[in-house]
Amino acid sequence: MRGEEHGKPDRAVVRDALGVGVAVGLSGFAFGVTSAGSGLTLLQTCALSLLVFTGASQFALVGALAAGGNPLTAAAGAFFLGVRNAFYGLRLSQLLALPRAVRPFAAQWVIDETTAVALAQPTRRSVRLGFTVTGLSLYVLWNLTTLLGAAGAQAIGDTDAWGLDAAGPAVFLALLAPMLKTTTERAVAGLAVLLGLGLLPVLPAGVPVLVAALSAPAVLYLTGRRRADAAHDTSAGAPDGTAPDTPAGPPAGARNDGPDVSGEGR
């Protein structure tokens, strides 16, 4: 069944959306375990998944708390990670074109995964279908596995003894790695790792994450400067000061009376 002419079959959209929702939703178990290991209660852990619902920010928050960080610092780091969703919303609001009454509810599902699935669709119908199926499946499964993970962690006691304290960082890296497709993105990630690990012994828990966020503007600034310098060097390398690919103009004596309107030479 096709939603629109030249569109993607609804069945294919639902299949792709469910694949993303199920694959990512299962990692809520790791968050539940990590959150319980950081000292949060079962109710607090489930409230985070129900109300915040953005995995990277949730992992950042409980990770900073587990390391003994100040709650305000941990919340600030989680907030800055979640700001990206506001920019996703600007784009998705144009693609989805939802009624005003629905937008506040749809905003809860504006995350990396729903944005990726929605942007991959060719028509508005498939955009809405992909966004809805991804958001619904991921929200339900993420919260269910969060509950199971937190309850299981409380049942087994010390999560560190089982090595489950590494589950959160491992899942976070697994989600991040496929997104690093360009050299600039890899440079930002590499610099962030260096800043975070280098400052971890000297700054309070949670603060290295905030400082590591400066790696993005730093790399973008250096990349822009390098491109500007390369463009300047290319321009300066031409004998007459113009770019090598720029025509120097017609030869001496040649006439240029404008476009040919006589019909000849066509």
Side-chain angles (χ1 to χ4, degrees):
M1 174 182 178
R2 287 187 178 274
E4 294 181 11
E5 186 179 359
H6 306 304
K8 194 173 182 180
D10 289 351
R11 183 177 299 177
V13 177
V14 172
R15 180 195 61 212
D16 295 342
L18 284 176
V20 173
V22 172
V24 179
L26 291 175
S27 60
F29 184 85
F31 169 73
V33 171
T34 305
S35 180
S38 69
L40 271 66
T41 66
L42 179 64
L43 180 60
Q44 291 171 330
T45 298
C46 291
L48 273 176
S49 284
L50 285 168
L51 301 177
V52 179
F53 187 56
T54 170
S57 297
Q58 293 178 230
F59 276 116
L61 176 63
V62 299
L65 292 176
N70 183 283
L72 293 179
T73 304
F79 171 79
F80 282 114
L81 280 175
V83 165
R84 71 192 187 282
N85 294 338
F87 295 98
Y88 295 160
L90 294 176
R91 177 59 177 151
L92 288 178
S93 64
Q94 300 174 352
L95 295 177
L96 294 170
L98 297 173
R100 290 183 179 274
V102 180
R103 291 176 188 176
F105 301 97
Q108 178 71 354
W109 292 350
V110 176
I111 54 176
D112 296 331
E113 292 77 16
T114 55
T115 302
V117 172
L119 293 179
Q121 309 308 320
T123 64
R124 175 160 293 168
R125 175 186 172 88
S126 57
V127 167
R128 289 179 173 179
L129 182 60
F131 175 85
T132 302
V133 174
T134 306
L136 179 61
S137 60
L138 182 51
Y139 188 78
V140 171
L141 193 55
W142 177 270
N143 282 280
L144 178 60
T145 54
T146 293
L147 174 61
L148 295 176
Q154 289 187 346
I156 65 176
D158 185 10
T159 57
D160 293 349
W162 294 79
L164 297 179
D165 55 316
V171 172
F172 185 82
L173 290 176
L175 295 175
L176 177 65
M179 301 180 185
L180 305 179
K181 298 179 180 180
T182 66
T183 303
T184 301
E185 291 169 348
R186 296 189 187 101
V188 171
L191 181 58
V193 169
L194 291 177
L195 288 175
L197 294 179
L199 297 175
L200 191 60
V202 296
L203 293 178
V207 176
V209 175
L210 300 179
V211 178
L214 298 176
S215 60
V219 170
L220 292 177
Y221 172 77
L222 293 176
T223 302
R225 285 292 304 271
R226 186 181 64 180
R227 291 176 179 173
D229 291 342
H232 180 268
D233 293 342
T234 301
S235 176
D240 57 355
T242 62
D245 296 334
T246 303
R255 295 183 59 186
N256 184 8
D257 296 329
D260 180 10
V261 296
S262 64
E264 298 179 358
R266 291 184 181 273

